[in-house]
């Protein structure tokens, strides 16, 4: 492809180094930020905090790869041992984590899909449509952010028993099908990203409102939906309080299973840690792959707040 | 609050069908359909949120108050016996409830304050021109991807008395054998460490986003006036971040009201369900869980929930007063 070769590449054929670095730098600059260059102290502080962020996860891994006696010995191990596979197997079978993982996938996937669809619709309406009560309805959406789930779990539990959803995944899925944060997040994005001209043009072409959503709004919203999807997925995967109350030992999500594993009479700590590893690993993989988008999402979701 | 944002609806397309008079009856019908589509669509789009929130959020929230006036047991949830304010009297006379309130408050303060301060400093560091800035941002956010359960279980190992890695390290300095979970302060510190670990990076990114929105000429003007980096941070960055800081305080306060997994799993089992042998780290959520799901008195549990609601409203009121005060002193 001759079109993409830049003059810079041609002018410095002997020294490829600075050439490679330039586009990477441009890619990494996510915001304007401070123009002052970071000194060594900044890097040292970041390394210390970075190690602090990672260390507990590393310790999970180390503890999961030893026997309990080794983990709790007067000199605890600092390097991974050779028992990882055994412990993973013991956790997998002992706590039936396989079923828990499948359950968690079902719960997280359906919550994410529903949240994306409903929040994009509502976000679009709040961002670009005119209707009576829009202002205070949006305020109401945001106000719901401040209500902790603790306040409604008792009747929720009784309701679920009434409809016959006790201990079933439905009891965890349905209350979280939409999120106030998601509505807010999509609204903020669409306010800026979706020009009125596009909607206008579609209207002149005779498209109905829902048609506009499908062929104009959804494509524009896709990047924000990606981010919201990942944030929702992480949250649904990690949710603990309500699933712990609502789900039974026979049909848990991975977090519930983990809580129950540690609550058994004499939990083997290294097997508990193996379980913790199993529950965290899928998310860490997602995080390593999409970390940049998740970071960007949290920042863009917050900046307007 | 930090949530009110300027809406941008300077130009709104005129409603369809208003431009020309319908010529035939068929066209009238169509334009009516268009108008109905325009009028009804926004409500249809926001309806799912309000329906689901109404059914699973608002209705239960109000119904909690009704349940709180009844005796309801886990063993027979369909039998509700009217007891008036007995449940409230019971929990207000229970010293364990007040322990839980105090614990929640103390843990809330000692986890939120250092967390937000560190986050502010961290955001300042990340705001420098950095090599591999995305890498650093991702690394400090890793704890966010970890569940409460995992974090609590790992830190339970770290804070263990026998064979705990922290005691092993402290041994070198001469602070051997601290019984972290048993101490009134040490157990609260342990729980706060879990909270701080999980949320500092998240808050730092929120601050960083706000810092990047601060216009650069403010700094230029400050440095022309002779302000050094530290003075610029205090006089330009912090004031510009005021709404964001208030926002994170609100969010963290609400979050600390909800602390559940961390204390439950610190020691696990039956001890975890009562927040320690002397309830030394029992939070309000644990108290609610213990009465409802451990002992089976759902009516009492509902009363606790409404007590939490009252506390939240009190906190919101204080927040509102403070933010008014801050705004006035800024003006």
């Amino acid at each position: 492809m001759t079109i993409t070769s830049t003059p810079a590449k041609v002018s410095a054929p002997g020294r490829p180094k600075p050439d490679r670095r330039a586009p990477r730098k441009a890619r990494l600059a996510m915001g304007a930020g401070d123009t002052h260059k970071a000194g060594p102290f900044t890097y040292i502080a970041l390394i210390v905090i970075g190690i602090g962020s990672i260390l507990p996860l590393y310790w999970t891994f180390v503890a999961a790869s030893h026997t309990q006696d080794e983990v709790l010995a007067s000199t605890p191990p600092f390097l991974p041992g050779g028992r990882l596979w055994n412990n993973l197997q013991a956790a997998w079978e002992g706590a039936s984590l396989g079923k828990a993982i499948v359950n968690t996938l079902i719960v997280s996937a359906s919550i994410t899909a529903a949240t994306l669809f409903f929040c994009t619709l509502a976000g679009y309406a709040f961002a670009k449509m005119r209707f009576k009560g829009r202002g205070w309805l949006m305020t109401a959406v945001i106000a719901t952010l401040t209500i902790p789930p603790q306040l409604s779990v008792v009747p929720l539990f009784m309701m679920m028993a009434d409809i016959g959803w006790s201990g079933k995944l439905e009891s965890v899925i349905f209350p979280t099908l939409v999120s106030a944060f998601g509505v807010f997040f999509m609204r903020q994005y669409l306010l800026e990203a979706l020009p009125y001209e596009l909607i206008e043009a579609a209207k002149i072409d005779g498209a109905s409102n829902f048609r506009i959503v499908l062929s104009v709004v959804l494509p524009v919203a896709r990047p924000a939906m990606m981010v919201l999807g990942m944030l929702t997925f992480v949250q649904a995967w990690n949710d603990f309080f309500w699933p712990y109350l609502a789900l039974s030992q026979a049909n848990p999500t991975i977090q519930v299973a983990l809580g129950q594993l540690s609550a058994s009479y004499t939990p083997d700590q290294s097997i508990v840690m193996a379980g913790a590893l199993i529950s965290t690993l899928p998310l860490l993989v997602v995080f390593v792959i999409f970390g940049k988008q998740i970071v960007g999402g949290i920042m863009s979701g917050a900046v307007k707040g | 609050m930090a949530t009110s944002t300027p809406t941008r609806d300077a130009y709104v397309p005129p409603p369809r069908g208003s431009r020309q008079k319908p010529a035939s009856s068929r066209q009238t019908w169509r334009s009516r359909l268009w108008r109905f589509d325009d009028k009804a669509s926004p409500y249809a789009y926001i309806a799912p949120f309000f329906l689901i929130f109404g059914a699973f959020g608002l209705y239960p929230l109000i119904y909690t108050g009704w349940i709180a006036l009844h005796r309801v047991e886990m063993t027979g949830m369909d039998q509700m016996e009217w007891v008036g304010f007995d449940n409230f009297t019971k929990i207000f006379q229970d010293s364990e409830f007040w322990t839980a309130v105090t614990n929640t408050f103390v843990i809330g303060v000692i986890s939120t304050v250092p967390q937000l301060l560190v986050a502010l400093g961290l955001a300042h560091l990340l705001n420098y021109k950095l090599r591999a800035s995305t890498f650093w941002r991702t690394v400090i956010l890793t704890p966010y991807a970890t569940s409460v359960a995992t974090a609590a279980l790992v830190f339970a190992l770290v804070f263990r008395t026998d064979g705990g890695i922290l005691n092993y390290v402290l041994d070198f300095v001469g602070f051997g054998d601290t019984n972290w979970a048993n101490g009134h302060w040490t157990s609260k510190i342990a729980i706060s460490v879990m909270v701080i670990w999980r949320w500092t990076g998240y808050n730092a990114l929120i601050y960083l986003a706000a810092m990047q929105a601060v216009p650069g000429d403010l700094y230029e003007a400050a440095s022309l006036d002779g302000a050094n980096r530290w003075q610029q941070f205090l006089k330009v960055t912090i004031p510009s971040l005021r709404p964001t800081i208030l926002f994170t305080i609100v969010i963290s306060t609400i979050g600390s009201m909800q602390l559940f997994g961390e204390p439950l799993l610190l020691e696990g089992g039956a001890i975890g369900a009562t927040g320690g042998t002397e309830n030394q780290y029992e939070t309000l959520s644990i108290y609610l869980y213990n009465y409802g799901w451990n002992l089976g008195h759902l009516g009492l549990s509902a009363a606790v929930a409404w007590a939490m609601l009252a506390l939240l409203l009190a906190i919101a009121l204080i927040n509102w007063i403070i933010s008014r005060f801050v705004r006035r002193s800024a003006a």
Side-chain angles (χ1 to χ4, degrees):
Chain A
M1 296 250 278
T2 44
I3 312 161
T4 49
S5 71
T6 55
K9 209 171 192 175
V10 182
S11 65
R15 295 167 59 197
K17 245 186 184 174
D19 179 48
R20 251 190 306 164
R21 220 186 281 154
R24 206 188 68 179
K25 253 189 187 165
R27 245 192 307 127
L28 292 177
M30 276 169 43
D34 200 323
T35 46
H36 288 261
K37 267 199 170 166
F41 166 76
T42 305
Y43 284 104
I44 293 169
L46 282 179
I47 288 170
V48 170
I49 295 175
I51 289 176
S53 297
I54 303 291
L55 208 55
L57 289 172
Y58 173 71
W59 176 237
T60 309
F61 174 66
V62 170
S65 62
H66 285 272
T67 63
Q68 167 162 263
D69 289 344
E70 285 165 351
V71 172
L72 301 179
S74 54
T75 308
F78 291 100
L79 292 174
R83 300 267 307 168
L84 182 64
W85 189 242
N86 295 50
N87 290 335
L88 287 178
Q89 255 180 330
W92 187 267
E93 282 155 17
S96 56
L97 292 191
K99 181 173 186 173
I101 289 259
V102 173
N103 279 347
T104 317
L105 271 174
I106 295 173
V107 167
S108 309
S110 29
I111 289 176
T112 305
T115 302
L116 281 183
F117 182 65
F118 292 138
C119 290
T120 309
L121 275 183
Y124 165 58
F126 279 122
K128 295 286 158 172
M129 295 173 106
R130 256 273 165 103
F131 56 94
K132 249 187 205 152
R134 183 174 77 165
W136 67 264
L137 283 172
M138 191 63 218
T139 313
V141 170
I142 290 165
T144 63
L145 274 173
T146 59
I147 303 174
Q150 272 77 356
L151 302 185
S152 31
V153 285
V154 175
L156 206 53
F157 189 79
M158 294 164 68
M159 276 163 63
M160 292 306 173
D162 264 355
I163 357 179
W165 283 353
S166 307
K168 289 189 181 165
L169 296 183
E170 285 93 324
S171 66
V172 174
I173 295 173
F174 276 82
T176 21
L177 280 183
V178 291
S179 79
F181 170 77
V183 174
F184 180 68
F185 184 84
M186 290 313 298
R187 170 182 174 267
Q188 294 305 97
Y189 181 80
L190 289 174
L191 268 181
E192 312 237 325
L194 182 63
Y196 280 110
E197 288 79 9
L198 267 183
I199 306 171
E200 260 297 86
K203 283 204 169 187
I204 289 166
D205 286 349
S208 69
N209 269 306
F210 196 67
R211 178 85 225 169
I212 293 176
V213 169
L214 289 182
S215 45
V216 177
V217 179
L218 286 186
V220 172
R222 192 174 291 150
M225 286 171 83
M226 275 269 292
V227 171
L228 179 63
M230 283 179 300
L231 291 176
T232 309
F233 193 84
V234 169
Q235 208 148 36
W237 185 281
N238 283 339
D239 198 10
F240 185 67
F241 179 65
W242 171 241
Y244 193 76
L245 303 186
L247 294 179
S248 62
Q249 200 151 1
N251 194 31
T253 57
I254 186 82
Q255 307 303 339
V256 177
L258 200 55
Q260 282 159 352
L261 182 65
S262 77
S264 54
Y265 347 83
T266 47
D268 183 318
Q269 294 302 330
S270 46
I271 291 178
V272 171
M273 283 299 107
L277 203 60
I278 293 174
S279 80
T280 314
L281 225 47
L283 274 202
L284 282 185
V285 171
V286 170
F287 202 73
V288 166
I289 299 174
F290 298 106
K292 189 178 167 185
Q293 278 91 337
I294 296 181
V295 166
I298 284 175
M299 287 178 63
S300 67
V303 69
K304 318 278 168 41
Chain B
M1 233 180 76
T3 42
S4 70
T5 45
T7 48
R8 277 208 326 182
D9 45 8
Y11 175 70
V12 173
R16 179 161 271 284
S18 62
R19 275 177 225 176
Q20 67 210 50
K21 271 191 173 174
S24 68
S25 68
R26 190 168 160 236
Q27 215 170 342
T28 322
W29 161 240
R30 273 199 74 172
S31 83
R32 253 189 219 152
L33 195 70
W34 278 118
R35 205 170 301 166
F36 176 75
D37 187 27
D38 263 359
K39 280 246 187 286
S41 288
Y43 294 107
Y45 297 166
I46 63 170
F49 175 85
F50 287 99
L51 287 179
I52 287 170
F53 173 72
F56 298 110
L58 188 63
Y59 167 71
L61 174 69
I62 296 163
Y63 195 38
T64 306
W66 182 243
I67 296 171
L69 303 173
H70 292 78
R71 182 213 301 281
V72 191
E73 300 297 310
M74 186 67 94
T75 41
M77 281 188 286
D78 39 356
Q79 290 154 2
M80 287 174 56
E81 184 194 328
W82 175 265
V83 292
F85 286 91
D86 276 11
N87 287 331
F88 287 101
T89 333
K90 210 174 262 174
I91 60 165
F92 290 149
Q93 284 171 353
D94 184 5
S95 67
E96 199 182 319
F97 170 76
W98 297 106
T99 311
V101 172
T102 320
N103 287 349
T104 308
F105 181 74
V106 171
I107 295 173
V109 170
I110 63 175
S111 61
T112 305
V113 173
Q115 180 194 155
L116 296 184
L117 286 177
V118 174
L120 204 53
L122 186 54
H124 181 65
L125 292 182
L126 289 169
N127 200 25
Y128 279 106
K129 224 177 176 182
L130 279 174
R131 263 166 202 284
S133 60
T134 310
F135 168 77
W136 295 113
R137 291 171 192 179
T138 313
V139 166
I140 61 146
L141 195 65
T142 328
Y144 167 81
T146 315
S147 70
V148 193
T150 302
L153 292 172
V154 181
F155 276 97
L157 261 187
V158 170
F159 283 107
R160 247 178 108 97
T161 313
D162 310 316
I165 207 160
L166 185 64
N167 274 354
Y168 173 77
V169 173
L170 286 180
D171 224 18
F172 288 114
V173 207
F175 290 106
D177 293 338
T178 311
N179 198 331
W180 289 93
N182 252 7
H184 282 252
W185 276 104
T186 49
S187 59
K188 293 185 184 79
I189 290 171
I191 288 169
S192 302
V193 167
M194 302 181 197
V195 178
I196 292 168
W197 179 71
R198 235 158 70 81
W199 293 106
T200 301
Y202 181 86
N203 285 307
L205 287 183
I206 291 180
Y207 288 150
L208 177 62
M211 279 179 189
Q212 297 197 330
V214 178
D217 28 335
L218 277 182
Y219 290 104
E220 257 169 54
S223 70
L224 278 178
D225 287 346
N228 62 28
R229 300 284 298 155
W230 176 243
Q231 284 167 329
Q232 287 178 27
F233 180 70
L234 282 186
K235 303 275 159 137
V236 178
T237 311
I238 301 283
S240 315
L241 256 57
R242 203 176 270 146
T244 314
I245 292 174
L246 215 62
F247 170 76
T248 54
I249 291 175
V250 172
I251 294 293
S252 309
T253 310
I254 296 165
S256 64
M257 285 281 290
Q258 301 179 33
L259 285 181
F260 175 71
E262 292 90 344
L264 184 80
L265 299 172
L266 179 62
E267 288 182 280
I271 308 175
T274 55
T277 43
E278 290 171 28
N279 319 112
Q280 66 271 23
Y281 52 88
E282 178 167 28
T283 58
L284 274 168
S285 294
I286 293 278
Y287 185 82
L288 182 149
Y289 163 77
N290 189 29
Y291 272 93
W293 277 261
N294 211 21
L295 305 172
H297 310 309
L298 287 172
L300 272 173
S301 213
V304 179
W306 261 45
M308 281 174 86
L309 179 63
L311 265 174
L312 257 180
L313 290 178
I315 293 171
L317 189 71
I318 294 169
N319 247 319
W320 182 71
I321 292 170
I322 291 176
S323 69
R324 263 185 70 116
F325 178 75
V326 167
R327 214 168 290 158
R328 197 178 301 159
S329 67

